[in-house]
Amino acid sequence: MAILSDNQINAHIDKLLNFVDSLPMGDNGKAYIRAKIIVDFLDTWQFDDEANGFTFEEYIANPSNPRFTDVQTTYGIRNTTQIERWTEGFKTALKKSRGMALEKQLKELDKLHPALKAARLSKSLAAITRAELFEKHGIQSIKDPEWNNQLKEILGAEITFSKEQADLLTKAPDPIQEQKNDEEIFIVEELENRLAIEAVDYKRKIDNLWETHKFDPTYFDSFISGTLLNEFSKSIYERIRPLNNQEINRYLSLSLQQFKTHTPPKRHKAFLLNYHNTYWYPNVMEYKENEYDSKYATHVWKHYTNHFHLFKEAIQKVYDDFKAGLTGTSETSKPTIAEDNLRIFLKDLEYNYPLENAPISAYHQWKYNLSYLKKEVLSNLIHLEQTARKPYISSVRFQLEELLTHSQITKDELETLYLKYETTEEQLLRNRSYTNALHIAINDEPPNFKDTFEEGYNPDTENIQFTFYNYHYGEIIREAIKFLNEQAFEYGFGTKEETPQPPIKKPSQYLNFETVFYLIKLSSKVYYFKMSLKLPLSCNFFS
């Protein structure tokens, strides 16, 4: 790996621009790609792959991770490692765009009669074959033979399928046929998707909050056999509730068949890919199996394998009950409200002053808890009847507003501290300094009593920690209430303007909590000082 000279970079840009000229696309598309190449290489801050101790993929997956401090960049692309990463991304983007174009074309062809569709596909396949022949004779019209081979396989399969469809339509005695849903329901794949999402969420929780959350090897055993199984059972009833008996029978029969074809041994590799795609979503990253991720995903899959029979038994029971006339059009059980994440969110917001942990830890924990609370609220609102949604929102909002009474610090007070220590909140969260006193205070544990007498102790430490903690304490609650109000508005009740405003400081003739606490600590220090000098307690320094 090496740093490149300006001449080397310009030569590489020229090669890329020549390559773009040969692409089979319109002038507008080529102009866009040329501009992007020039900007990326010469006029954009780029991640320095050689100077940083972590990869670009790790960083973009979670930029706010405290582990990623002091990220090194270069203005424009300056070394070979950056070029390799950029080129891989460029190739991936081209493949994706080609795939999208093909998908769009096939959807348009789906509107035609299968026989006409097969004819059109055959013509496209013949054009590709001729292009390969021309290339052998020096006509470079298509540059990617690998893509051509893949395309031939796709078109060949589509032609075969279209001809079979045309044959069936020809032999069909009744021209009026029920249209099938283009997006067929695959219940086992939905189950695997939900498991992949949980696996990614749990891994990020362990990675990002490693100080407070340790990996539990039994977590997925209890999650799959408990929470996931309950969600699965409820989703079946929700799915069949609006269907007639014919569609219920079709759905349950297909689901049972999938449990025979989508067994864990057959789906292991598919789950590894599913986990990879879920982890990097919405970014598209090429799947390259690595030992660490595969080992973790396989650990999750083993627990799923152990409990796979429970899900099969659950769908079988619903099917048997339906056949016996116990379900279907009969009244279903009243849905229960999930409150696990609400309890966690409220518990971590129990007013905690004096502080017990670093304020920055509380900040990240609150953000993490809020994301899970939002998911839980959305899920509850989907399953609740319309008449039950407003009382549910009101109940959650009331509990949050009770905690909001502890919020006392205004944004101006926090900004004053940032100004005093010549920093900003963005610098604090994204590029922590190990020399700035405010950064140190917010990332450190609260000082104990003896620490306040140590040489070099910043007397402003407790004020910094309290101000940051209390302001964001109120902000996270207001953000949660704002989310609830938005949901109430979406479901037709309430307004978005109901979110409580941040506190406004007013002069008061009474001592506030911080002042009283400060005087108590000050008197304790005087007492400690007298005892260390063996002075009589009646000695008054303030007279």
Side-chain angles (χ1 to χ4, degrees), residues 255-308:
S255 299
L256 279 172
Q257 186 62 32
Q258 288 167 2
F259 272 95
K260 297 177 182 178
T261 59
H262 290 61
T263 57
K266 296 178 181 178
R267 300 289 298 171
H268 180 210
K269 289 187 177 180
F271 180 75
L272 295 182
L273 178 61
N274 191 348
Y275 170 79
H276 168 84
N277 293 335
T278 304
Y279 183 87
W280 291 110
Y281 180 85
N283 301 295
V284 179
M285 303 299 295
E286 184 179 355
Y287 175 64
K288 294 181 180 179
E289 186 173 347
N290 67 78
E291 184 178 356
Y292 176 74
D293 287 340
S294 296
K295 188 175 181 180
Y296 171 73
T298 300
H299 164 80
V300 176
W301 193 249
K302 285 181 179 178
H303 287 293
Y304 173 72
T305 302
N306 293 338
H307 298 296
F308 181 74

Side-chain angles (χ1 to χ4, degrees), residues 355-520:
L355 306 182
E356 297 177 357
N357 299 303
I360 197 70
S361 297
Y363 171 86
H364 288 297
Q365 182 66 55
W366 292 335
K367 288 287 187 181
Y368 183 82
N369 291 348
L370 179 60
S371 66
Y372 272 86
L373 175 63
K374 289 179 178 180
K375 295 176 185 177
E376 183 175 86
V377 169
L378 291 173
S379 177
N380 286 338
L381 290 173
I382 291 172
H383 291 88
L384 286 172
E385 299 291 342
Q386 178 65 20
T387 55
R389 288 167 179 158
K390 185 174 182 180
Y392 167 69
I393 290 287
S394 299
S395 172
V396 177
R397 185 164 49 201
F398 176 77
Q399 296 177 72
L400 293 173
E401 288 173 346
E402 277 192 319
L403 293 175
L404 195 57
T405 57
H406 298 301
S407 175
Q408 304 162 7
I409 296 298
T410 65
K411 185 175 183 180
D412 288 342
E413 290 175 287
L414 182 58
E415 291 293 341
T416 300
L417 274 178
Y418 288 145
L419 187 63
K420 176 181 177 181
Y421 288 93
E422 299 179 347
T423 187
T424 64
E425 187 156 298
E426 184 178 1
Q427 291 174 343
L428 171 67
L429 298 176
R430 294 186 177 274
N431 193 18
R432 174 190 173 183
S433 168
Y434 290 88
T435 57
N436 186 289
L438 184 140
H439 288 215
I440 294 171
I442 291 177
N443 282 276
D444 277 359
E445 299 291 322
N448 56 40
F449 186 69
K450 290 185 179 180
D451 289 339
T452 60
F453 293 96
E454 295 291 336
E455 183 179 356
Y457 172 74
N458 180 11
D460 207 16
T461 296
E462 289 168 292
N463 177 46
I464 292 172
Q465 292 186 336
F466 173 79
T467 302
F468 179 86
Y469 178 92
N470 188 264
Y471 172 73
H472 283 291
Y473 175 92
E475 277 298 290
I476 202 71
I477 296 174
R478 280 186 285 273
E479 188 177 344
I481 293 175
K482 179 182 178 183
F483 171 76
L484 293 175
N485 292 339
E486 289 173 349
Q487 295 310 307
F489 181 78
E490 290 293 331
Y491 281 97
F493 55 89
T495 62
K496 294 182 179 180
E497 289 74 28
E498 295 176 1
T499 306
Q501 296 299 314
I504 301 175
K505 287 290 182 181
K506 297 180 179 179
S508 174
Q509 58 180 334
Y510 302 105
L511 296 177
N512 59 23
F513 175 79
E514 303 99 294
T515 306
V516 172
F517 183 77
Y518 173 76
L519 291 176
I520 292 173

Side-chain angles (χ1 to χ4, degrees), residues 1-5 8 50 78-83:
M1 306 306 173
I3 297 176
L4 301 175
S5 66
Q8 289 175 312
E50 296 186 5
R78 305 303 305 172
N79 57 58
T80 54
T81 311
Q82 289 174 312
I83 285 184

